[in-house]
Structure formats: structure tokens, C-alpha cells
């Protein structure tokens, strides 16, 4: 009997003569001038993301699609088109008569801002293979291209097998909005030469096909969990010596109609080069906004790629709106506090449309769900709210709105969101201050069971929220309300500096609570410390327990217990008096490792206080013992607030060590390689201190005035921050030491604005025109 491959030439000849094959450009030729970063061999079996605002794809850097994630166990990878998932992934295999090569064990992975590529070598057949993918802007689909180069001297005849693993299912909390998963049913459609897989009970579907007409199709048993369907397509292929050819695969979906998915499929198939070029140019523009140049080229590269990361996290669901997700793969939906940190960074790097969209989304949903000004914490992409808000998120919203106003000067923006702020601050104190001492009670940033009394971060952010609301009220002409808010802020500032301060620990307390609450938390903390083998923490906790029992109090009092990162928030918002602040900042140095600040200080390990960069990943992921970028970013801002830019730079350098550590071009949520591989609040940790503190940019767009008061670290002899958008204006700041003396030049595009330069010796230069300098 003749083998399948003996017939291949005849089949291929017939196939080529009967099929219209158009020459397709190779993505390799379209990215020649684009920035890119190669990954590490040891992290090929870790995740990557191909991002888009409608769809995105998550797999492993080796090209495989393992079942990833815990929010929906094993379902957070693959291809998503929120609020539904489209596919668990796909397999592409090159088959010869005597050899098979699946594209799931790449030798290298390279990331680009708008695309990524897996590299494979098949020395047995003289082939070099690349699998590219990108997600077009505003499209519910993914484009995949396999590029094959024959470096040998013989023609290569083989089949390409594509197996698509459809899993059309709802997002997290789908059941709360009657999104019930049904069995997927597949049918091959001749009009697109591809598969259409539908959920039997819903209008959800996915289409996948290619630029060639398959010679064979079939349905195969799925190896993935869930109610999906796996289907194959097979294509004969011929590759002459010293030639390169590509084959394109298109994946599209819809949660509303088959026609919409097919239209998307055809649009991506025909227009992908234009869509790719458009996305590439958009990323080039992102790179030019708030463009940083510093001596540390790794930090410079980190800053550039964090701007790309920001865009990767934009999640648009037209029925809800558009906004940033918190992180990929397990937090791709919307959060209150994550956005309140991150959007300050987004605004500072000029991505203001995303800022406005996210604020509008959070405000509208919070008012619809709560109606009292309380800001939600977490909402899935189907509109189901999981947590209607932690206490700190409401005052932080006030500070976010004021911050954005400083950049845009738009009084209508303030008017739009001040009603929510007023309701929220009233709710904050009327319903969350049972003892009437001015400190709201409830959970803040630390989601530790029992830590819901009077938390230091809630107190600090409440103080800041009232202070900023007073400024908003003043701008909007409500002097009485401004005075009332300012009085609350002043009272909180005084109380935080007296009642929350612990001279024994040279630190602000984790919380204010009763002896009973503290003793219960101590027992839990001792168990935690014992489990982690932290004898120093156990000894400290037992000493605190003895003190409480020997010196009982009938009233709430401050307790330093976990050494959580939030004890540094009074310095972050700048309300700590300088004496206490310096003591606390020095104490905080005991709870860092080479990558940054421990979330919970009693979890610190042998690396605490060191700066050698050595690291070995633990065998199982856990948030216990974590070092995170947000606490580290808070510390950067805190150090700068008290005139310590060198210490601030040290923390930035620690964070920068985790850039590209696991995923090239990104920075993990938990340093250096745990949790979310892309995290929204990372941009806050870098952009706020660099833009506002090192370069000293203080915008006042409403008055058409910008103050520049740099405080540069000693290590930066020369630095520039260009194309910073402030309202309709664009400024650039150039810094250079000449003969040991700092020289500063500022330029702007609207000469009618006032520039105010504060020189290092305290002199204030004020002028209009195209620029100013000393």
C-alpha cells in the first residue's frame, strides 16, 4: 500500500493548482525596527501574554498551552474574549513520513511590545521555524503566523496539522449573571475554510482557520478539562532549499452572534498587515510619551516597557465600558484600589484616555451597586461585583480625582465626580467609625483575617482623601465644605502622628484595636511565624503578648505586630513629621530583600536587608513571604517625600532586578517571578517617583502653570524626561551636572503657560515662553 507521504507531491500539486494562495508578508520583516527582549531558557515553561483590548492569549513561552490559573482553576490561560473564553489553546505539528515535530518546546522566546515569537530548530530536516502571534486593536480575535525557513539543500515535503482546542465558556462569576456553560458543538464551514465551535446553550462561539484550504479535517477527543471541543485541520506543504514561507492562522470569536465572529475572522484574515502596522505605530507613540533617558539603561528600558505593559492590561467590554484590569492571568478584570494606584502612573506617562475610561467605569458601577459613594473593590467582566469595596478605596478615589485634575485642569471633570466623593466621605465616617474617634474601621490593603479594626493605611489614605477633597471643594466654590474637610484632615494628621506612633518599634502601628483583638491576632501570627520558621518573630510576638497581659487597657490602642508594609503609608502620603518619618524609614530597611519590600515583615527570610540579588524560587507559589512591587513603590515615594532620593533610587533598583526576570519585557506582581506576570500598579511604583519627585514635575493645568523642582539621586549625572503631557501642553525636562553643579532646562510647546523652576539652591525662576533654565 502506498504511504500517505508517497502521495504528497501529487496532493500538493493538486492543492496548489486548485487553491488561490496569496503571498503573505512575514511578521519578521515588519518588526525589524521594533524593540524586543529575549527570554531566558529556564523560564520557557512559564507564561507569556499576547495582549489586546478585546482579546488576549496566554500560554507558555515554549509554545505550549498548559491549564493555568486558580481563579477559574486551570482555565485562566488560552484565548479570552471577555466575558467569555474562546479556546484552551492549540497545537501545531509538522509531520513527515518518518518524523513529527510539535511546536510546543521552543528553544527561545522573544517578546515585542505588540507581538511575540517562539523559535524552533529542526536540525533533522534543516528547518528553522518561528511561531508569531499578535492581537489587533479593537478586534475579538488573534492572528498567528508560522514562518518556516529551509536552510538545507533538499526540498522538504510535510504536512502541517493544526488542532484547535475550543472551550467556549463564561468568565469568573458567570453564574451570577445567568451565564451557564453548555457543551461545545463544532462544524466545519466551507465559506471560511475553518471550524466554527458554538456553545450549545448560548450565542457564544469561536472560529478558527487559516490562509490555506485544508485537505483533511476531523474532530478529536479534547485533552483539556471543561466542555470544549477539539478539531483538526491538515495542510500539505512544500519548502524548497534556502526559501522561507509562512502560513497564517486566524482565530475570532463573539459572545453575541455568529455573523460578528465571521466578519471579524474575514477582516483579520484580509487586513492583518494593516492592523499590525497600526498597532506597531501606536506602540511607537507610547514609547515617545514621557520618554526617560538615564544612565541606568536597564531602568530606562524597564520604564519604557512598563508603558507597554499598561496597554496590555486595557480590557474593553462594550456592554460595560473600558478600563484596566489588575493583572494577567488571574486578575484580568476591574478593581477599585488597583486602578487608584495605577491610574496615577498612567496619567503621568500620558495614557489619559485609559484613565478617563477606567474612572467612568468605576464611578458608574460603584454608584449602581452601592449608591452611597463607596467604591467597589472587584468586578468581573460580566458585570458581577465580587466585593463591593474595602474601606480605603473610597478616600483613595478622592485623591485620584484631585490628582487627575492637576494634570488636566478640567473643572467639568471635577464636577462630574465630586458628587460620588461627597457621598463616599460621608459614608466613610458616618457608617465606619463606631467609636467616633475619627479613624474608620474595616479592611484596608492587608487582606489578613481579623485585620479589620482601625488600620494605619485606612487612616493615612482617609487623611489624604479629605485633604484632597477640601481642595476640590475649594475649586468648585464650596468654601464651607472645604473648611470642614480640611478640619477632618488636620485632625487625622495629628492623631496619626500621636496615637498610631510606636516609639518602642520606631514605626507606625499596623492597627489600632482592643486587647482582645490583638491577642487573637497574635496567636494567628505566631502560628504563621512558626510555620515559616521565623523564631525572631515568634519571640517578638510573645513579648507583645506578655506586655498586653501585664498592662491591660480597656480602650483601643496601637499595635505593631505584623510589620506590614502599610505602616509606611503615612510617609507615602507625606503626613508623618520628619523626625518620626526618618526613624520609620530606617526601620523599614529591615524588611526588604534584594527585590524590594516584604508585604508582611514577619515573613522576612535570610535575604532581608541584603542587596546581593541572589534568588532561588520556592517550589510552590504562595503569597505568604511575598515581596511585591506596590509596597516597594510606596517606599520609593516615601523616601523621596523626605528628601532621600538616593534611598528612593535604591528601592527602584531593587524592583528593576525583577524586570524581564521571568517574562521578557514585563515585571511580575510578586518579585521576581510569582503571581501575575503583568501587573497594573507597577507603573505607579515607577512613574510617580520618577516624574513627580526625581524630575519634580508638579502640574497645575487649571492655572496653566507647571512647577519643576527636581531632586535627583547622586548616581544620575545626566537625565531627561521628554514629551510629558500636561493638559494641552507638552514639556520636556533636561538635567545635567556640569563641574558638579546641576543644570536644568525645561521646554514647552505652549509658550503662554508659566514655567516655575525651583533650582537646587532654592532659587525660584518663573517665566513664560518656550523654555526656562538655570
Amino acid at each position: 500500500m502506498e504511504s500517505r507521504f508517497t502521495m504528497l507531491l501529487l496532493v500538493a500539486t493538486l492543492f496548489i493548482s486548485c487553491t488561490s494562495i496569496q503571498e503573505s508578508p512575514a511578521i519578521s520583516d515588519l518588526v525589524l525596527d521594533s524593540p524586543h527582549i529575549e527570554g531566558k531558557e529556564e523560564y520557557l515553561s512559564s507564561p507569556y501574554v499576547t495582549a489586546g483590548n478585546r482579546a488576549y492569549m496566554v500560554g507558555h513561552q515554549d509554545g505550549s498551552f498548559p491549564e493555568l490559573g486558580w481563579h477559574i482553576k486551570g482555565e485562566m490561560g488560552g484565548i479570552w474574549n471577555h466575558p467569555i473564553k474562546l479556546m484552551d489553546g492549540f497545537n501545531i505539528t509538522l509531520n513527515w513520513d518518518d518524523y513529527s515535530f510539535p511546536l510546543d518546546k521552543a528553544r527561545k522566546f522573544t517578546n515585542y511590545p505588540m507581538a511575540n515569537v517562539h523559535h524552533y530548530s529542526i536540525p533533522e530536516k534543516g528547518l528553522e521555524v518561528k511561531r508569531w502571534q499578535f492581537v489587533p486593536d479593537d478586534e475579538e480575535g488573534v492572528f498567528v503566523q508560522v514562518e518556516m525557513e529551509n536552510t538545507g539543500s533538499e526540498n522538504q515535503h510535510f504536512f502541517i496539522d493544526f488542532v484547535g482546542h475550543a472551550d467556549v465558556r463564561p468568565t469568573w462569576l458567570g453564574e451570577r449573571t445567568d451565564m451557564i456553560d453548555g457543551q461545545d458543538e463544532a462544524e466545519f464551514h466551507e465559506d471560511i475554510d475553518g471550524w466554527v465551535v458554538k456553545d450549545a446553550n448560548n450565542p457564544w462561539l469561536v472560529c478558527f482557520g487559516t490562509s490555506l484550504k485544508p485537505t483533511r479535517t476531523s474532530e478529536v477527543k479534547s485533552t483539556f478539562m471543561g466542555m470544549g471541543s477539539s478539531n483538526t485541520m491538515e495542510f500539505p506543504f512544500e519548502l524548497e532549499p534556502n526559501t522561507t514561507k509562512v502560513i497564517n492562522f486566524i482565530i475570532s470569536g463573539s459572545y453575541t452572534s455568529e455573523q460578528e465572529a465571521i466578519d471579524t475572522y474575514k477582516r483579520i484574515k484580509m487586513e492583518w498587515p494593516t492592523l499590525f502596522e497600526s498597532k506597531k505605530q501606536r506602540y511607537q507613540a507610547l514609547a515617545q510619551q514621557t520618554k526617560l533617558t538615564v544612565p541606568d539603561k536597564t531602568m530606562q528600558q524597564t520604564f519604557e516597557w512598563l508603558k507597554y505593559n499598561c496597554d496590555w492590561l486595557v480590557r474593553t467590554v462594550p456592554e460595560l465600558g473600558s478600563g484596566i484590569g489588575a493583572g494577567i492571568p488571574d486578575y484580568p478584570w476591574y478593581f477599585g484600589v488597583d486602578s487608584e494606584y495605577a491610574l496615577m502612573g498612567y496619567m503621568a506617562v500620558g495614557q489619559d484616555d485609559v484613565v478617563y475610561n477606567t474612572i467612568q467605569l468605576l464611578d458608574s458601577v460603584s454608584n449602581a451597586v452601592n449608591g452611597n459613594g463607596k467604591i467597589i473593590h472587584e468586578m468581573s467582566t460580566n458585570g458581577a461585583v465580587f466585593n463591593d469595596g474595602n474601606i480605603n478605596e473610597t478616600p483613595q478615589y478622592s485623591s485620584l480625582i484631585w490628582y487627575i485634575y492637576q494634570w488636566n485642569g478640567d473643572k467639568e471633570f471635577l464636577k462630574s465626580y465630586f458628587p460620588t466623593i461627597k457621598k463616599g466621605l460621608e459614608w466613610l465616617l458616618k457608617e465606619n467609625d463606631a467609636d467616633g474617634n475619627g479613624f474608620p474601621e474595616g479592611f484596608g490593603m492587608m487582606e489578613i483575617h481579623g485585620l479589620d479594626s482601625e488600620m494605619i493605611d485606612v487612616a493615612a489614605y482617609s487623611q489624604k482623601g479629605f485633604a484632597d477633597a477640601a481642595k476640590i471643594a475649594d475649586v468648585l466654590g464650596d468654601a464651607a465644605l472645604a473648611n470642614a474637610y480640611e478640619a477632618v484632615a488636620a485632625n487625622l494628621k495629628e492623631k496619626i502622628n500621636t496615637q498610631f506612633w510606636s516609639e518602642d518599634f520606631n514605626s507606625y502601628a499596623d492597627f489600632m484595636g482592643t486587647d482582645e483583638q490583638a491577642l487573637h491576632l497574635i496567636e494567628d501570627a505566631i502560628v504563621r511565624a512558626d510555620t515559616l520558621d521565623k523564631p525572631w518573630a515568634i519571640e517578638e510576638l510573645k513579648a507583645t503578648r506578655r506586655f498586653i497581659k501585664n498592662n491591660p487597657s480597656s480602650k483601643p490602642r496601637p499595635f505593631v505586630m505584623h510589620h506590614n508594609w502599610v505602616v509606611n503609608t503615612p510617609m507615602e502620603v507625606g503626613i508623618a513629621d520628619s523626625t518620626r518619618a526618618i526613624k520609620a524609614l530606617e526601620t523599614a530597611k529591615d524588611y526588604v530583600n534584594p527585590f524590594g519590600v516584604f508585604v508582611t515583615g514577619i515573613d522576612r527570610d535570610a535575604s532581608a536587608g541584603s542587596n546581593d540579588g541572589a534568588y532561588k524560587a520556592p517550589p510552590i507559589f504562595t503569597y505568604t513571604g511575598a515581596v511585591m512591587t506596590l509596597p516597594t513603590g510606596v517606599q520609593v515615594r516615601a523616601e523621596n517625600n523626605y528628601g532621600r532620593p538616593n534611598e528612593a533610587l535604591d528601592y527602584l533598583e531593587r524592583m528593576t532586578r525583577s524586570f524581564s526576570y521571568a517574562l521578557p519585557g514585563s515585571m511580575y506582581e510578586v518579585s521576581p517571578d510569582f503571581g501575575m506576570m503583568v501587573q497594573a500598579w507597577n507603573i505607579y511604583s515607577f512613574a510617580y517617583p520618577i516624574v513627580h519627585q526625581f524630575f519634580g514635575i508638579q502640574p497645575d493645568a487649571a492655572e496653566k502653570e507647571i512647577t519643576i523642582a527636581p531632586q535627583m539621586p547622586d548616581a544620575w549625572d545626566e537625565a531627561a524626561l521628554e514629551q510629558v503631557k500636561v493638559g494641552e501642553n507638552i514639556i520636556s525636562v533636561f538635567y545635567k551636572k556640569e563641574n558638579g553643579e546641576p543644570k536644568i532646562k525645561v521646554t514647552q510647546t505652549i509658550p503662554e503657560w508659566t514655567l516655575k523652576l525651583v533650582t537646587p539652591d532654592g532659587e525660584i525662576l518663573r517665566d513664560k515662553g518656550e523654555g526656562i533654565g538655570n
Side-chain angles (χ1 to χ4, degrees), residues 205-265:
L205 72 152
V206 61
C207 307
F208 58 90
T210 183
S211 52
L212 302 177
K213 186 178 182 67
T215 55
R216 189 165 70 170
T217 63
S218 64
E219 186 169 351
V220 296
K221 182 176 176 57
S222 176
T223 58
F224 289 84
M225 66 174 70
M227 304 174 74
S229 174
S230 294
N231 304 275
T232 71
M233 299 180 292
E234 183 181 77
F235 313 88
F237 213 84
E238 180 180 4
L239 195 58
E240 297 82 7
N242 301 310
T243 61
T244 299
K245 291 182 180 179
V246 301
I247 181 171
N248 301 330
F249 298 93
I250 300 92
I251 300 162
S252 69
S254 174
Y255 48 88
T256 57
S257 77
E258 179 177 330
Q259 190 59 51
E260 186 175 87
I262 289 174
D263 289 346
T264 300
Y265 179 95

Side-chain angles (χ1 to χ4, degrees), residues 75 228 341 403 527 649 659 664 767:
E75 296 284 6
Y341 286 112
Y403 175 87
V527 171
L649 181 62
F659 174 69
D767 202 358

Side-chain angles (χ1 to χ4, degrees), residues 699-733:
D700 186 356
E703 298 298 324
K704 294 182 170 51
E705 180 174 292
I706 305 170
T707 299
I708 314 295
Q711 55 169 358
M712 287 291 177
D714 292 340
W716 289 6
D717 289 334
E718 188 170 0
L721 195 64
E722 301 173 74
Q723 303 295 308
V724 181
K725 183 179 179 182
V726 183
E728 299 302 314
N729 203 355
I730 296 175
I731 69 165
S732 298
V733 182

